[in-house]
Amino acid sequence: MTLPNLHTPALTSRLPRVGTTIFTVMSTLASETGAVNLGQGFPDFDCDPALVNAVTSAMQAGHNQYPPMPGVLPLRQAMAAKVETLYGLRCDPLTEITVTAGATQAILTAMLAVVHPGDEVVVLEPCYDSYVPNIELAGGVPVRVPLTPGSFRPDFDRIAAAITSRTRALIINSPHNPSGMVWSEADMLRLQDLLAPTDVLLISDEVYEHMVFDDELHQSAARFPGLAARAFIVSSFGKTYHVTGWKVGTVVAPAALTAEFRKVHQFNVFTVNTPMQHALAAYMADPSPYLDLPAFYQRKRDLFRAGLANTRFRLLPGEGTYFQCVDISGLSVPERDLPEADFCQWLTREIGVAAIPLSAFYGNGFDQRVIRFCFAKRDETLQLALQRLARL
């Protein structure tokens, strides 16, 4: 018997510049070395047992088959009520809300739905690592505009200069990962004025919407009619309810945009986990879990910042999210002069705490001596990390 030709055809990569993400690299290193993992952004504590019980109840009630393609109606109705109550936007759960397999899928689907080959998409750096690959998968051209170094506030002159007749969309993220910066009402009004004379679409990544601190309000694109009319507004149940592994989110968009979004959605995931959707709909009857979330995470932020104040790290403002950025340039150790990525490797191996370099969130690897910690951890986890960091 003649063996078949065991030839694997060569491929031309759709994403030739993409390798293993920094989050995987640092989490793997943390596991290998026994370091406290403050790198990847997920909690190390459990969600509310009532939410888990709601999933069990949904399964026992027979909600185990395909749901409707846009998501189960009770969950879309609950989201519509929440958006109207919090942000004043009345949206139709039938035609303007879609349940997605997390925010990452939501953003990719929006890109595939509206970006055509050669279209430009403005992306503000530093940014979450899926944005640029999503643009490229859609055949678009990413146009990178830096946020202001140090403060990470939007530079509207540079954003305006980046918008051309080829611009199809702009993606924003507030509260902002990785910096923790929160867009103000004035920022959103200026963006609304900037986009008003254009046909530029807005993708507003708002997965940390319930993590805004010091009694400030989250300025959702839903609050601003001129933005809401052109926006895909992305939310995450995983971030809000401490269930990042469930991968369930939503997109709110005008009916015409939602119709195109769903054309792509039905062919890349079609539907999202049925019992989780029913459980989330039931759990949302009580708004207190998300209304109380800012205070929950602000206490952790304050605990972590108080501990870091005993080190030579320089704390950057932490207005929102569950991330804290620090400047390493004032440390007394010689490793402070390493590139951010190398410093994070050293910090993990020698100090026993994993962090993420901000340079990983820039296309050109811009290094400004800043690293990011995640404080969505149990108090004892944070205290252990602080004990180790106290050596610095």
Side-chain angles (χ1 to χ4, degrees), residues 23 30 50 127 182 261 313:
F23 309 106
C127 66
V182 174
F261 181 92
F313 289 117

Coordinates of all heavy atoms in Angstrom, one line a residue, residues 23 30 50 127 182 261 313:
F23 N -1.0 38.7 27.3 CA -1.8 38.2 28.4 C -1.5 36.7 28.6 O -1.3 36.3 29.8 CB -3.3 38.5 28.2 CG -3.6 39.9 27.8 CD1 -4.0 40.2 26.5 CD2 -3.5 40.9 28.8 CE1 -4.2 41.5 26.2 CE2 -3.8 42.2 28.4 CZ -4.2 42.5 27.1
A30 N 3.4 33.6 35.1 CA 3.0 33.6 36.5 C 2.7 32.3 37.0 O 3.1 31.9 38.2 CB 1.8 34.5 36.6
A50 N -26.4 33.2 43.6 CA -27.7 33.3 43.1 C -27.7 33.3 41.6 O -28.7 32.8 40.9 CB -28.4 34.6 43.6
C127 N -4.6 50.7 23.1 CA -5.9 50.1 23.0 C -5.9 48.6 23.2 O -4.8 47.9 23.1 CB -6.5 50.4 21.6 SG -5.7 49.6 20.3
V182 N -11.3 57.8 32.2 CA -12.7 57.9 32.0 C -13.0 59.1 31.2 O -12.6 60.2 31.6 CB -13.5 57.8 33.3 CG1 -15.0 58.0 33.0 CG2 -13.3 56.5 34.0
F261 N -25.5 44.4 11.4 CA -24.8 43.6 12.5 C -25.3 42.2 12.5 O -24.5 41.2 12.6 CB -25.0 44.3 13.8 CG -24.2 43.7 14.9 CD1 -22.9 44.1 15.3 CD2 -24.8 42.7 15.7 CE1 -22.2 43.5 16.3 CE2 -24.1 42.1 16.8 CZ -22.8 42.5 17.1
F313 N 6.8 53.1 43.2 CA 6.0 53.3 42.0 C 5.3 54.6 42.0 O 4.8 55.0 43.1 CB 4.9 52.2 41.9 CG 5.5 50.8 41.5 CD1 5.3 49.8 42.4 CD2 6.1 50.6 40.3 CE1 5.7 48.5 42.1 CE2 6.5 49.3 40.0 CZ 6.4 48.3 40.9

